[in-house]
């Protein structure tokens, strides 16, 4: 096993819908990351309590198809300063990883590659200087943004923070209570904090107060900007996208149509992460 791979233990699990769940695991003492980064998590199905209960340890150990380490990338939900690590997962039908991970129980062990990856971090922005932060997410793409919003520096550096979170159904809008408490829980700890604007979007059923269209259309028609109460200004906006690849690609193109540019070498407005 690589020196970067450590064993972590599942501490809790929350089921949001039949296809969405989150979980927390122990955090190795030496593990450090920046809000917005992701790690590679590994599971060996043969070691999960679910399979041991189903087949018995002896039979399970003999099933070679279950006895392998499978790794996938996961953004971290928790703050860089939290004592535990939290992750948000979708169940992909017949997916080699998530179809196993959905069976997690408290006490199960996973593998954590302690080398963090990814550049969907606020430190990437050098120009324009911080003023308005737009966080646009679908589904589990919410994860890195929650991590950023639990970092006090985010609240210190910006004047406005807009979180637009899109899901197909009301039930799939996970973490709503947490989102609604962010301003009080974190913004209240700094002088002159950013104003936080949360915009829920539900595309396939009605929800009072929520927008209903896909993010690209909301941007091009300026509905999102009007709801936020601030313009999407090329000279002041930092815009981050995370979620399903179609959303990321279509929204990126919509933002370019509005005059915003990709962030490269520290300059520009748009930063993206396009895994689920």
């Amino acid at each position: 096993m690589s020196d970067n791979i450590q064993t972590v233990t599942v501490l809790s699990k929350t089921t949001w819908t039949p296809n969405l769940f989150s979980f927390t695991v122990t955090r190795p003492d030496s593990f450090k990351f920046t809000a917005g980064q992701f790690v590679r998590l590994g599971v060996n199905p043969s070691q999960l309590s679910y399979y041991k209960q189903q087949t018995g340890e002896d039979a399970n150990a003999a099933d070679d198809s279950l006895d392998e380490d499978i790794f996938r990338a996961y953004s971290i939900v928790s703050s860089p300063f939290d004592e535990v690590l939290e992750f948000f997962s979708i169940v992909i039908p017949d997916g080699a990883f998530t179809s196993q991970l959905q069976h997690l129980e408290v006490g199960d062990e996973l593998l954590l590659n302690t080398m963090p990856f990814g550049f969907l971090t606020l430190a990437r922005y050098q120009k324009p200087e911080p003023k308005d932060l737009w966080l646009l997410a679908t589904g589990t793409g919410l994860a890195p943004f929650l991590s950023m919003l639990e970092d006090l520096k985010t609240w210190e550096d910006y004047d406005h923070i807009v979180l637009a979170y899109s899901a197909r159904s009301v039930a799939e809008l996970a973490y709503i209570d947490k989102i609604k408490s962010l301003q009080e829980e974190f913004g209240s700890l700094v002088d002159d904090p950013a104003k936080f604007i949360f915009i829920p979007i539900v595309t396939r059923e009605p929800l009072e107060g929520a927008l209903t269209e896909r993010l690209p259309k909301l941007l091009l028609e300026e509905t999102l900007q009007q709801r936020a109460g601030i313009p999407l200004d090329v000279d002041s906006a930092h815009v981050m996208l995370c979620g399903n690849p179609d959303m990321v690609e279509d929204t990126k193109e919509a933002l370019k149509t509005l005059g915003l540019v990709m962030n490269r070498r520290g300059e520009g407005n748009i930063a993206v992460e396009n895994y689920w």
Side-chain angles (χ1 to χ4, degrees), residues 74-260:
Y74 270 80
S75 286
I76 304 169
V77 173
S78 43
S79 157
F81 309 102
D82 280 348
E83 295 181 355
V84 303
L85 299 174
E86 183 166 358
F87 301 95
F88 186 22
S89 182
I90 187 172
V91 178
I92 300 173
D94 301 320
F97 188 84
T98 62
S99 62
Q100 307 297 343
L101 204 66
Q102 67 178 318
H103 299 306
L104 277 185
E105 297 178 16
V106 172
D108 279 337
E109 292 185 340
L110 297 175
L111 301 173
L112 171 71
N113 184 325
T114 57
M115 178 73 70
F117 299 92
F119 299 98
L120 192 73
T121 64
L122 295 177
R124 70 178 292 149
Y125 286 107
Q126 305 302 317
K127 185 178 180 181
E129 294 183 357
K131 183 181 178 185
D132 302 325
L133 176 62
W134 296 74
L135 305 173
L136 311 182
T138 57
T140 57
L142 177 70
F145 300 152
L146 288 178
S147 184
M148 293 174 194
L149 292 169
E150 294 175 85
D151 188 336
L152 296 183
K153 185 168 173 38
T154 307
W155 296 88
E156 293 172 337
D157 286 353
Y158 288 91
D159 294 342
H160 302 93
I161 300 171
V162 180
L163 173 62
Y165 176 26
S166 178
R168 294 172 301 179
S169 67
V170 176
E172 290 178 349
L173 282 177
Y175 288 101
I176 290 298
D177 289 343
K178 185 183 191 76
I179 291 169
K180 291 181 177 178
S181 71
L182 287 169
Q183 179 92 52
E184 181 177 352
E185 188 171 352
F186 294 94
S188 64
L189 298 178
V190 304
D191 295 330
D192 194 22
K195 179 184 178 183
F196 181 58
I197 303 141
F198 173 51
I199 304 175
I201 303 164
V202 181
T203 58
R204 297 189 183 178
E205 63 182 49
L207 173 65
E208 185 176 357
L211 299 179
T212 59
E213 302 289 349
R214 293 182 69 238
L215 278 162
K217 184 175 182 180
L218 292 173
L219 287 164
L220 291 172
E221 295 182 351
E222 299 195 3
T223 307
L224 196 70
Q225 298 90 309
Q226 291 167 9
R227 175 64 66 89
I230 57 173
L232 194 56
D233 191 336
V234 67
D235 294 322
S236 64
H238 294 174
V239 187
M240 291 186 149
L241 314 178
C242 191
N244 74 72
D246 287 342
M247 180 282 284
V248 169
E249 183 61 28
D250 293 347
T251 304
K252 181 175 67 176
E253 293 307 312
L255 290 167
K256 289 180 181 179
T257 299
L258 295 172
L260 282 77

Side-chain angles (χ1 to χ4, degrees), residues 4 10 16 27 34-35 53 57 105 156 171 238 240:
N4 290 334
V10 177
W16 301 101
R27 177 174 179 171
T34 300
Q53 293 161 4
E57 293 198 33
E105 297 178 16
E156 293 172 337
H238 294 174
M240 291 186 149

